[in-house]
Amino acid sequence: MLITSLDNDKIKSYMKLKDRKYRKKTKTFIVEGLHLVLEAYKSGSIIELILEKDEVLPLDVPCVYVTNEIINKISSLDAPSNIMALCKMNESTEIKGEKILLLDGIQDPGNLGTIVRSSLAFDVDTIIMSPDTVDLYNPKVLRSTQGMIFHLNIITKSLDEAIDQLKNNEYPIYGTRVEYGSDVRTLNKKDKKRYALVMGNEGNGIRREILDKCDKFLYIDMNEKVESLNVAVATSILLYELNRNVD
């Protein structure tokens, strides 16, 4: 079926998904481009494909064909792709696995996307985002993750609650701070097997009440001329070190 009218109810719904509140209300979002669509398909997250007329993508999911005009209205890109998909959000609320990353108020979409990719690369099992972290389904975040959000358990939860729960289950809570901290390279294998690492906001770092709940502070040894690293870079380095020589 080819939809040609911008007044079609389905098309109106697609266009509304640019708004975070509507995404949250419907628990759906749109991904754009072949790579993201294929990653969504692998995870079983696609509700329906949205293809420009005459485009062919043989995936076993419902498909809606639309005009180029509609593609341009749905897209959040300057140069829209002719391949999109309507996807369902991950509604998991369970903390799973041995390696947990907690994000306290990350605001930049590119930073969150990079952190998600590094988390998968270095075997994080669950990411817990504070409610004030940038929307995981923001189009810029989605593109930055390169589809890796479909392969990780990512939940939104009060970090105070999450840390209390993790402490009850005997996870060591690692914060990031140079003062009174340990060089991440000095951790032993046992310290790396099971942990919860907290990373803070780009400008303000980890909130004081969260810092107070940490069991140990880690830092990255670097040239003293450099005051700090971008949070996504720092997270990637820490996760790499925590994943190194653990077997």
Side-chain angles (χ1 to χ4, degrees):
M1 177 181 72
L2 174 64
I3 299 176
T4 60
S5 173
L6 290 170
D7 291 326
N8 181 279
D9 288 341
K10 187 182 286 288
I11 303 307
K12 287 180 179 178
S13 179
Y14 292 159
M15 290 191 288
K16 286 181 184 177
L17 289 172
K18 291 180 182 179
D19 181 71
R20 178 177 185 170
K21 289 181 180 178
Y22 192 73
R23 291 195 295 268
K24 190 173 180 180
K25 177 183 174 182
T26 60
K27 295 182 170 51
T28 61
F29 62 102
I30 283 177
V31 294
E32 303 183 53
L34 180 61
H35 178 71
L36 285 177
V37 168
L38 291 178
E39 293 300 325
Y41 181 72
K42 289 175 194 174
S43 70
S45 299
I46 292 180
I47 298 170
E48 57 194 14
L49 277 177
I50 306 165
L51 302 179
E52 187 175 346
K53 62 178 181 177
D54 302 326
E55 183 64 55
V56 176
L57 187 61
L59 301 181
D60 186 22
V61 290
C63 185
V64 175
Y65 290 93
V66 300
T67 62
N68 179 260
E69 180 188 20
I70 290 173
I71 284 283
N72 287 329
K73 288 291 186 181
I74 297 170
S75 177
S76 59
L77 299 173
D78 292 332
S81 169
N82 54 3
I83 297 173
M84 303 178 179
L86 177 69
C87 300
K88 58 188 176 184
M89 292 183 178
N90 169 28
E91 294 191 73
S92 169
T93 58
E94 183 184 353
I95 300 174
K96 302 174 184 176
E98 302 294 288
K99 299 180 178 183
I100 314 299
L101 176 65
L102 299 97
L103 303 179
D104 187 14
I106 300 297
Q107 292 301 300
D108 182 79
N111 284 340
L112 180 57
T114 299
I115 288 168
V116 168
R117 291 169 68 185
S118 294
S119 295
L120 190 64
F122 303 124
D123 298 329
V124 167
D125 298 302
T126 295
I127 296 176
I128 304 172
M129 305 193 312
S130 64
D132 60 339
T133 293
V134 62
D135 179 21
L136 180 64
Y137 302 102
N138 175 308
K140 290 180 181 178
V141 175
L142 292 172
R143 291 195 295 276
S144 185
T145 69
Q146 289 290 300
M148 297 306 100
I149 68 156
F150 295 111
H151 308 295
L152 265 170
N153 182 45
I154 306 176
I155 66 178
T156 299
K157 187 180 180 73
S158 157
L159 295 197
D160 292 280
E161 260 181 58
I163 290 174
D164 289 345
Q165 183 179 338
L166 289 163
K167 280 180 170 286
N168 287 339
N169 287 290
E170 299 182 343
Y171 286 81
I173 312 298
Y174 300 151
T176 46
R177 191 168 69 179
V178 174
E179 299 88 353
Y180 314 112
S182 302
D183 184 335
V184 63
R185 296 173 300 177
T186 65
L187 294 183
N188 60 42
K189 288 184 179 182
K190 182 182 177 184
D191 292 330
K192 297 178 179 182
K193 283 286 187 184
R194 192 168 194 257
Y195 65 81
L197 172 67
V198 187
M199 298 301 295
N201 172 269
E202 290 89 343
N204 301 316
I206 301 170
R207 284 175 293 136
R208 168 56 59 186
E209 57 266 38
I210 300 299
L211 279 174
D212 289 344
K213 293 190 172 193
C214 293
D215 301 308
K216 179 180 285 192
F217 296 105
L218 305 178
Y219 70 86
I220 300 165
D221 187 40
M222 57 188 181
N223 189 308
E224 62 185 18
K225 293 178 182 177
V226 180
E227 185 178 333
S228 63
L229 294 173
N230 167 278
V231 66
V233 173
T235 304
S236 300
I237 293 170
L238 289 167
L239 292 179
Y240 167 77
E241 289 292 345
L242 287 166
N243 198 51
R244 195 162 66 92
N245 300 327
V246 292
D247 296 325

